Amino acid sequence: MSFLFPVLYNLAWYFLLLLLTFFGLDCIILFGAKTGIEATRISPEKLSNGDENPIRVAVRNYYTFSIFTKIIDEIPFQFQVRNFEIKRKVKASSQDDIQYFLRPVERGEYTFGSLNVYVSSPLRIISRRFTFNKDQMVPTYPSYIQLRKYDLMAFSNNLFQYGVKKIRRIGHTMEFEQIKEYIQGDDIRTLNWKATAKKNSLMVNQFQDEKSQSVYMIIDKGRVMKMPFNGLSLLDYAINATLVLSNVILKKHDKAGMFSFSKKVENRVVAEKRSSQMQLIMECLYNIKTDFFESDFSRLYTDIKKNINQRSLLLLYTNFETLDGLHRQLPYLKGIAKNHLLVVVFFQNTELNEIIHNKAETVQEVYDKVIAEKFAFEKRLIVNELKKYGIYSVLTQPENLTLDTINKYLEIKARGIL
C-alpha cells in the first residue's frame, strides 16, 4: 500500500517499532522472574476403576500482575485424550485450583506425562512454558468409591439408601440380641408383651443374624467375562461388586473370601474376618486378568470339594448366554450345590433390550428383534433351570450388579437359609 500511498511507509515502520517494543517488554516481564508460577497436579493415591476420579491442578501466580494460563496435562495413554486443554485467568499473587475428572475402565498402572502451563501477560503477545510433575504413576484399583458409597448398607434394615428396592424379609434368625422400643417397620410378631406392660410403651425383641458364616465370591475370568458394557468388561463389574460385597460381609461379622478360576483356580483369599482381610482382597482383585480360555467348571468343583469343608455361601460371577451353555456346566453346579448354598450371578444383555423395545420397520429389523427376544427368553429359562435344582440365581444388568448382589446376600441372611 505504501507504493500507492507513500505516507503509509513511515507509519508501518512506527507500528513495527511499537510491536518490537511491546514484544521486548513482554519478554522482560515474563522471563525476568525466575519463578513466575508454580503448578502441582494433585491426584488420588490410586484411581477407582469405573468411577469419575477427581484430578486437581493448583496454580500459584508469583507475578505482580494477572496472567492468562493455558494448561495442557499429558493424560495417560489409556484414556486416549489428545485435545486436553484448560484456559484460566489467575489474579496477581494468588492461587487458583482447577479440577477435572477421569474415568478409567481398566485396572493397572496409569502414568501421567508432564503438566505444561503456558503463561501470558496482559499484553498477550508471547507465552512462557512451565513444566511440572513429569512421569507421575498412579495405580487403578477396583472401585473403592463404590465401597465407600455402600458402606452403611450393612447396617440398613429397610434398604432405602441409594434407590435400593425394599426386600421383604421372610422370618428371622432366632439369636436374641436385645429388647428395644418399637419403631415403624419393626416386625409386630416380635412384640414383647411383658416388657411392654412394664414400660407402658410398645417393646420388641431384636434378633441378630447368625454370625461367622463363610462367604466366598468366585469370579469366572474366562473369555465369556471379557464382554464390554459401558467401557467396562463384565470381569471388572464382577471385581467391583466383589470388593463392595466383601466389605458388607465383614461389617455383618461374617467371613469374606474369594478366588478366581478359568483353566485353574487362582487368586485365592481364604474366608476370614481379620482386620487385614479387605486389603488382602483388594490386592488380589487388582491382579485378576482375563485369560481368554473357556472356563473349566470341573476344576472349580474339584477345588471347592477339596478346600472348602464347611458349608458356605458361594456367589459365582459368570455368564451364560444360552441354555445349552448352562447344561454343559450344570452337573458341576449341582455337585457344588449339594454341600454349599450356591448363587449364580450372570448378566442381562442390555444391548439386546434396546433392540427388543425399538419398533421394527424393516424385514432385517424384525429378524434382529426375534433373535434378540429368543436370547432374552433363554436367560429367563436359565433362571428357572437353576431354580429347579435348588440353585439360587441373580440375573442383573451390569450397572446394577453391586446393588443386586448386596440385596441377595442380605436377603439370604434375613431368611436364615445358609
Side-chain angles (χ1 to χ4, degrees), residues 26-35 63 128:
D26 208 7
C27 288
I28 291 172
I29 61 178
L30 276 180
F31 292 90
K34 185 177 181 180
T35 306
Y63 289 109
R128 179 181 177 182

Side-chain angles (χ1 to χ4, degrees), residues 160-314:
F160 288 141
Q161 294 94 330
Y162 311 115
V164 183
K165 63 182 181 180
K166 182 178 180 180
I167 291 180
R168 183 183 174 212
R169 298 193 169 207
I170 305 174
H172 51 69
T173 57
M174 297 306 294
E175 188 175 345
F176 177 78
E177 182 179 11
Q178 64 175 348
I179 300 173
K180 69 179 188 71
E181 289 191 11
Y182 173 84
I183 60 174
Q184 186 176 0
D186 285 338
D187 191 347
I188 61 173
R189 294 174 298 175
T190 61
L191 283 171
N192 188 318
W193 295 109
K194 289 184 179 180
T196 298
K198 290 180 180 179
K199 295 284 290 186
N200 200 25
S201 63
L202 288 176
M203 306 294 290
V204 293
N205 294 329
Q206 182 171 324
F207 299 89
Q208 62 181 0
D209 296 329
E210 187 180 348
K211 299 177 181 179
S212 299
Q213 296 172 317
S214 297
V215 182
Y216 280 92
M217 284 135 295
I218 307 168
I219 301 174
D220 182 351
K221 62 176 185 178
R223 59 172 175 251
V224 296
M225 296 293 282
K226 190 60 179 175
M227 186 182 296
F229 285 94
N230 296 328
L232 279 179
S233 66
L234 296 183
L235 178 65
D236 280 306
Y237 279 108
I239 286 172
N240 290 344
T242 297
L243 181 66
V244 177
L245 184 56
S246 298
N247 185 56
V248 174
I249 290 167
L250 292 173
K251 290 293 178 65
K252 297 290 285 185
H253 305 286
D254 281 334
K255 300 176 183 178
M258 56 83 55
F259 55 90
S260 65
F261 79 102
S262 178
K263 295 295 288 183
K264 58 182 179 179
V265 176
E266 298 175 305
N267 311 107
R268 187 189 305 277
V269 177
V270 178
E272 295 288 348
K273 56 178 182 179
R274 55 195 165 194
S275 58
S276 62
Q277 191 73 356
M278 279 303 300
Q279 186 62 33
L280 290 172
I281 291 174
M282 177 174 282
E283 293 296 334
C284 195
L285 292 173
Y286 177 76
N287 294 310
I288 295 178
K289 289 181 172 55
T290 310
D291 59 11
F292 299 100
F293 289 112
E294 183 174 358
S295 301
D296 188 350
F297 279 76
S298 64
R299 180 69 64 87
L300 173 66
Y301 166 71
T302 304
D303 186 271
I304 291 174
K305 189 172 182 180
K306 178 181 178 182
N307 294 301
I308 306 179
N309 300 319
Q310 181 184 1
R311 178 173 169 81
S312 306
L313 171 60
L314 308 179

Side-chain angles (χ1 to χ4, degrees), residues 2 5-19:
S2 63
F5 306 100
V7 68
L8 295 179
Y9 184 74
N10 293 329
L11 188 62
W13 271 105
Y14 293 142
F15 277 116
L16 178 59
L17 291 174
L18 185 63
L19 178 62

Side-chain angles (χ1 to χ4, degrees), residues 352-353 355-358 360 365-381:
L352 291 182
N353 292 339
I355 297 175
I356 292 171
H357 293 102
N358 290 338
E365 290 176 351
V366 171
Y367 178 79
D368 293 341
K369 188 170 183 176
V370 170
I371 296 299
E373 288 176 346
K374 176 181 178 295
F375 278 110
F377 180 67
E378 285 212 33
K379 291 279 188 178
R380 296 192 293 272
L381 288 179

